[in-house]
Amino acid sequence: MPTYKREWIRGQGRNPRKGVPGNELFFFFSDIYKQHPPDEVTFACIGTDRSTGDALGPLTGTYLVERGMAHVVGTLASPCDADTLEKRLALIPANHAIVAIDACLGPREAINTYFLSDQPLLPAESVGGKLPPVGQYSIAAVVNANGPRPYSILQMTSLHLVMGMAQTIAEAAADAARRR
């Protein structure tokens, strides 16, 4: 069995996540804001502006800032990527709840789905990266189907899809914060 398929099967039992369409993200953020005031929630938007698929995090961070969210790490102007992740996370106040947001690859039928969890995110897991777990809450947005060359797949991911998914996340988070 190819390595990427073994990793997907192995990863499924480790951190059970709930896959939802975008219109259910509001409820996820509402639950977070019931437990934490908006001024103590930081969004860690992980990814790079140098790869279409992996730009979901920085795009989401940019959209969150545009919507007035105060605590955002990772935007298009200042990405939170593999090189800067640990330094940037160290600057987040200890009393803040961290919502980690990152793109991921998954099964074809899960594209344009969001996997939500009240557990940390493992950045770069789908491409074999070794980065520390991030957040008390996490959103892994499936931007494309997993395959044997994940870096190439991320490079060839639809920018239109990624931008739409990032806007959906930012709108849901801002709406939930306003309605708190």
Side-chain angles (χ1 to χ4, degrees), residues 104-109 111 142-150 153-154 157:
C104 74
L105 302 174
R108 186 164 306 285
E109 62 274 6
I111 294 173
V142 183
V143 298
N144 211 336
N146 202 351
R149 295 192 333 238
I153 292 168
L154 283 172
T157 296

Side-chain angles (χ1 to χ4, degrees), residues 69-89:
M69 304 303 280
H71 304 287
V72 178
V73 174
T75 63
L76 287 172
S78 181
C80 181
D81 57 21
D83 295 331
T84 63
L85 179 68
E86 292 185 60
K87 291 179 204 166
R88 304 283 300 277
L89 293 176

Side-chain angles (χ1 to χ4, degrees), residues 53-103:
D54 204 29
L56 178 118
L59 274 166
T60 302
T62 299
Y63 295 147
L64 286 166
V65 169
E66 288 174 358
R67 285 163 176 79
M69 304 303 280
H71 304 287
V72 178
V73 174
T75 63
L76 287 172
S78 181
C80 181
D81 57 21
D83 295 331
T84 63
L85 179 68
E86 292 185 60
K87 291 179 204 166
R88 304 283 300 277
L89 293 176
L91 299 174
I92 298 172
N95 65 323
H96 280 218
I98 299 172
V99 179
I101 301 168
D102 197 6

